[in-house]
Amino acid sequence: MYHSVILAIESSCDDTSAAICADGKILANVIAGQKVHEQWGGVVPELASRAHQQNIVPVVNAAISQAGINREDVTTVAFTRGPGLIGSLLVGVSFAKAFALAQHLPLVEVNHMQAHVLAHFIDSRPKFPFLCLTVSGGHTQLVLVKDYLQMEIVGETLDDAAGEAFDKTAKLLGLPYPGGPMMDKLAKQGNATSFRFPEPQVGENEFSFSGLKTSVLYFLQKETKANPNFVEQNLADLCASIQKTIVDILLKKTEHIAKKYSTTEIALAGGVSANSELRERFTALGVKNNWGVYIPAFEYCTDNAAMIAIAAHYKCLDKKFASQQTEPLARYAL
Ligand code: KG4
Ligand code: ZN
């Protein structure tokens, strides 16, 4: 039998997820997406909380049954405390507390951004210290990871996150939300040198993506005035050119900061790490510099409870438990 069985809950944005981690091994990772937001072109917080409310019980039951365990086998309950949408977090936090109370179990609270980084330890083992580029819908961070629970942000965005840069420019091209995966797919058929967009002039520890969005907007306004069919006639080339600009910005900073901190291991995390060009070129960057490269499996890139479970596993080893009074945090520093 297992020594420790963690039930982990993730509900920070628009995915309801539950995972089971037994003695550091993921036995199940169930994720229910929310289609309801597509028609609005972005996540509507109120609708997200309601959908979490509908999904949470079936998702947890599915995780328990996929793991081949019984509810009584769970020894610890973990949950995402933040950062995220407060209404969405509340559903997961309340469920976790209720489950723990009913089964007389200890609780572990997890920082979502820390969990994205620790997702690497699900099936690989980067050596400390390593530099992790965490790129999601809400964050763009370069994190110096000194130990499982000891991390320092050494680079951050001043404005939009990389995922937002994908989603907002995709929206300007008329693509449905979330635009990142669609842009990735279309870019494969396009020529990335067709159009050039400016890169931001910011400090060495900073990213910025709002200028890209504005320059794409003005460029499209100008071109569609001359040719109303400009976007549809050049869609793949536009996607490839925008994607290349975003990836260029991310890689340049990663290389600079890795050299500055003399790290020889680089890792990618967060939803945008599902992007195929970023994965390919990030790997090439490592090969060029003779650095170790770590990229999580697709299912552990976007939001998932397996990463919450693995983070909780390390917190349990450190005996870092939470009380029933723990509240969710919309903002939660690393
Ligand atoms: O980490 P995540 O699942 O949720 C947040 O915590 O934000 O990241 C979601 C973001 C979205 O902006 C989505 O467009 C982006 O990840 N994304 C991608 C790809 N798959 C997901 N961006 C570019 N290419 C992809 N293949
Ligand atoms: Zn995330």
Side-chain angles (χ1 to χ4, degrees):
M1 249 357 265
Y2 300 112
H3 175 67
S4 126
V5 177
I6 300 171
L7 162 67
I9 312 288
E10 153 65 33
S11 70
S12 64
C13 189
D14 60 339
D15 291 310
T16 319
S17 182
I20 302 289
C21 176
D23 296 339
K25 253 191 75 185
I26 301 298
L27 301 186
N29 181 38
V30 177
I31 306 167
Q34 301 182 355
K35 286 258 171 251
V36 65
H37 308 288
E38 266 172 26
Q39 58 185 302
W40 305 102
V43 176
V44 183
E46 172 74 21
L47 297 178
S49 340
R50 287 167 188 247
H52 282 305
Q53 194 80 265
Q54 299 284 323
N55 292 343
I56 190 98
V57 172
V59 164
V60 168
N61 284 342
I64 288 175
S65 106
Q66 273 184 29
I69 60 160
N70 298 311
R71 182 176 310 195
E72 293 70 29
D73 297 328
V74 174
T75 59
T76 309
V77 186
F79 60 89
T80 304
R81 185 179 187 191
L85 301 171
I86 201 74
S88 292
L89 290 165
L90 268 167
V91 178
V93 174
S94 305
F95 180 92
K97 285 184 184 177
F99 192 103
L101 205 57
Q103 304 286 123
H104 308 287
L105 298 174
L107 282 167
V108 177
E109 56 93 5
V110 173
N111 180 309
H112 180 91
M113 301 311 294
Q114 204 169 52
H116 268 303
V117 174
L118 293 173
H120 287 284
F121 293 93
I122 293 173
D123 42 32
S124 61
R125 209 144 280 276
K127 287 188 270 315
F128 300 115
F130 65 93
L131 184 69
C132 186
L133 172 66
T134 311
V135 271
S136 71
H139 294 81
T140 301
Q141 298 175 337
L142 275 166
V143 182
L144 190 61
V145 189
K146 298 167 189 170
D147 206 339
Y148 295 108
L149 304 173
Q150 215 190 324
M151 304 179 187
E152 183 191 343
I153 296 174
V154 290
E156 211 167 3
T157 183
L158 295 173
D159 40 56
D160 288 351
E164 272 177 297
F166 272 105
D167 297 340
K168 288 180 178 175
T169 51
K171 196 172 178 180
L172 295 174
L173 299 175
L175 301 176
Y177 178 87
M182 187 73 108
M183 191 173 281
D184 187 357
K185 206 165 138 203
L186 289 165
K188 290 197 171 82
Q189 298 134 36
N191 178 354
T193 58
S194 302
F195 308 106
R196 278 186 71 88
F197 298 104
E199 282 184 33
Q201 303 301 313
V202 287
E204 65 163 358
N205 290 3
E206 294 161 350
F207 293 98
S208 170
F209 290 101
S210 66
L212 172 65
K213 177 189 63 193
T214 312
S215 82
V216 171
L217 173 69
Y218 289 158
F219 176 72
L220 295 179
Q221 280 175 347
K222 187 175 99 228
E223 295 296 330
T224 48
K225 217 180 234 175
N227 170 14
N229 299 322
F230 178 79
V231 172
E232 58 183 34
Q233 285 168 1
N234 296 281
L235 190 58
D237 289 346
L238 283 164
C239 287
S241 304
I242 295 169
Q243 179 172 286
K244 177 183 181 301
T245 311
I246 297 172
V247 175
D248 281 348
I249 295 170
L250 292 173
L251 294 189
K252 237 180 234 174
K253 261 318 128 133
T254 305
E255 183 168 28
H256 179 77
I257 298 289
K259 286 181 178 167
K260 183 177 167 185
Y261 287 90
S262 309
T263 45
T264 54
E265 309 259 302
I266 53 169
L268 199 54
V272 181
S273 57
N275 184 268
S276 44
E277 180 177 347
L278 180 58
R279 293 170 85 90
E280 240 168 68
R281 291 181 53 200
F282 196 81
T283 305
L285 177 70
V287 171
K288 184 184 104 180
N289 289 290
N290 207 14
W291 293 336
V293 175
Y294 297 88
I295 302 178
F298 277 108
E299 67 171 313
Y300 304 134
C301 288
T302 46
D303 289 349
N304 67 87
M307 67 184 195
I308 305 303
I310 204 80
H313 170 72
Y314 290 107
K315 291 193 92 165
C316 280
L317 294 179
D318 255 19
K319 305 220 170 349
K320 290 201 159 67
F321 295 101
S323 81
Q324 278 283 343
Q325 274 68 48
T326 311
E327 290 171 342
L329 300 170
R331 289 169 175 271
Y332 191 0
L334 200 63

